[in-house]
Amino acid sequence: MSATLESAARDRAPVEVLREVRLGERVREITVRSAALGRQASFQLLTPPGFSVTSTRRWPVLFLLHGADDGPACWTRETALLERSCTLDALIVLPEAGGIGFYTDWCRLDASGSIPRWEGHHLDELPEVLETHYRAGTIRVVAGVSMGGYGAIVYAAKRPDAFAAAASYSGLLHITRRGMPTFLAGMLMREHEHRHSLWGSPRHNWGRWLANDPFHLADQLRGTALYLSCADGRPQPEDDVPPGSGLIERWVAPTTENLAARLATLGIPATISRGRGAHEWPTWRRELDRSWPFLVTALGCAR
């Protein structure tokens, strides 16, 4: 465990694993009691061939973060992740993040009456569970789609020693860009949450918004391998996507371009992937294919 994660873990009670359910030969759903969320929380764990909790070795970890109004199962439902995992010598973790949790520690009560701390759950509690019970090592890579793309990059920026690499597919990577606070407020209200639940009012809590904006945290990404992708909003002819997904991508994509330009100004290398596509899984499947060698290399696994 890294020094940052060790320090945070010492200030908390151990996370209790409540149950484990086998969903397949190498897929487990693990439920823990989360103090950060104030409730039980689950994550899916895909284990590599030859995995054993009694092994003397440890495995690198790939975290895959889901988007808004979705859940961990999207990765196995929408991609060939199960097939890929058969030849990947690493643990793959699919955590839950709420319909609009946005990979952050909220400043207000959510609709259930608690103040969720998603960052604390994902960056403090889950590594502890994985290292204590599932032979996880200290090499970690994180990737995500849409809301999860934001999570991947902001987590890497906030905890520079926690992840060797981070990848974003259509992430919201400049949340203080003009129009984005209003866009996020609309997303929250659609899920019946208060529009200022995440970081407070942009008018009165602008500093908190800046402190959670990958664009303004860009310098803290120095030393992390980065893969950033966005599309032009035009679905491929074969793509089966809902109406409006192209418009969403055209609205979100400039935030990736903003961060890419900021990184270039700072002299921080990043792989930037641009192409045709909408804000939906056909585009993200293509990007997962393109970025898979990047992820595998960062994990230190043979391709």
Side-chain angles (χ1 to χ4, degrees):
M1 186 181 292
S2 68
T4 301
L5 296 180
E6 281 182 337
S7 175
R10 283 195 297 267
D11 297 332
R12 296 177 292 101
V15 184
E16 181 183 1
V17 176
L18 299 176
R19 60 184 171 274
E20 177 185 304
V21 177
R22 295 294 184 101
L23 302 180
E25 182 182 356
R26 294 182 299 101
V27 184
R28 311 171 188 218
E29 183 173 77
I30 298 152
T31 302
V32 301
R33 192 184 309 280
S34 170
L37 299 177
R39 61 172 176 81
Q40 296 181 13
S42 299
F43 65 93
Q44 291 187 16
L45 179 67
L46 280 61
T47 57
F51 172 80
S52 171
V53 294
T54 61
S55 174
T56 57
R57 66 161 292 190
R58 290 186 176 272
W59 280 266
V61 184
L62 173 62
F63 288 85
L64 294 177
L65 310 182
H66 67 78
D69 197 26
D70 213 332
C74 65
W75 289 98
T76 51
R77 183 186 70 235
E78 300 289 351
T79 77
L81 185 64
L82 285 173
E83 292 81 355
R84 288 185 184 278
S85 69
C86 290
T87 57
L88 183 68
D89 194 29
L91 298 167
I92 301 177
V93 179
L94 312 177
E96 65 166 292
I100 191 66
F102 240 88
Y103 301 92
T104 196
D105 291 349
W106 284 33
C107 67
R108 286 177 177 265
L109 294 172
D110 65 10
S112 72
S114 65
I115 301 178
R117 294 191 297 110
W118 290 107
E119 181 182 330
H121 175 58
H122 293 142
L123 299 187
D124 298 326
E125 293 181 335
L126 289 191
E128 178 186 331
V129 169
L130 293 165
E131 293 178 22
T132 301
H133 299 281
Y134 296 100
R135 305 302 299 167
T138 57
I139 298 175
R140 307 180 195 90
V141 172
V142 61
V145 298
S146 189
M147 177 182 83
Y150 165 82
I153 302 303
V154 80
Y155 280 177
K158 287 189 169 187
R159 307 284 183 100
D161 57 345
F163 297 100
S168 166
Y169 315 121
S170 300
L172 286 71
L173 304 184
H174 188 183
I175 60 170
T176 60
R177 176 184 167 91
R178 185 175 181 179
M180 289 307 296
T182 301
F183 177 70
L184 287 164
M187 291 177 66
L188 285 157
M189 290 188 289
R190 185 189 66 188
E191 298 295 324
H192 308 291
E193 301 288 358
H194 192 282
R195 66 186 185 278
H196 296 155
S197 291
L198 300 177
W199 308 295
S201 162
R203 175 175 297 179
H204 302 296
N205 305 102
W206 192 240
R208 186 163 180 165
W209 280 77
L210 294 175
N212 286 279
D213 189 344
F215 179 84
H216 289 281
L217 299 175
D219 193 52
Q220 294 173 214
L221 291 166
R222 194 179 303 275
T224 302
L226 299 169
Y227 184 101
L228 309 179
S229 73
C230 59
D232 62 5
R234 297 181 302 133
Q236 297 277 15
E238 68 275 15
D239 291 351
D240 182 14
V241 298
S245 60
L247 180 62
I248 293 173
E249 186 66 15
R250 286 194 293 274
W251 178 252
V252 170
T255 70
T256 295
E257 298 288 5
N258 290 162
L259 179 58
R262 177 69 176 149
L263 292 169
T265 298
L266 294 170
I268 298 174
T271 299
I272 313 298
S273 178
R274 304 173 177 89
R276 183 172 176 178
H279 200 80
E280 258 297 340
W281 277 105
T283 302
W284 302 332
R285 278 194 292 271
R286 288 190 289 269
E287 285 304 327
L288 183 62
D289 288 343
R290 291 175 187 140
S291 63
W292 192 252
F294 166 88
L295 301 174
V296 170
T297 298
L299 288 164
C301 299
R303 291 170 55 181

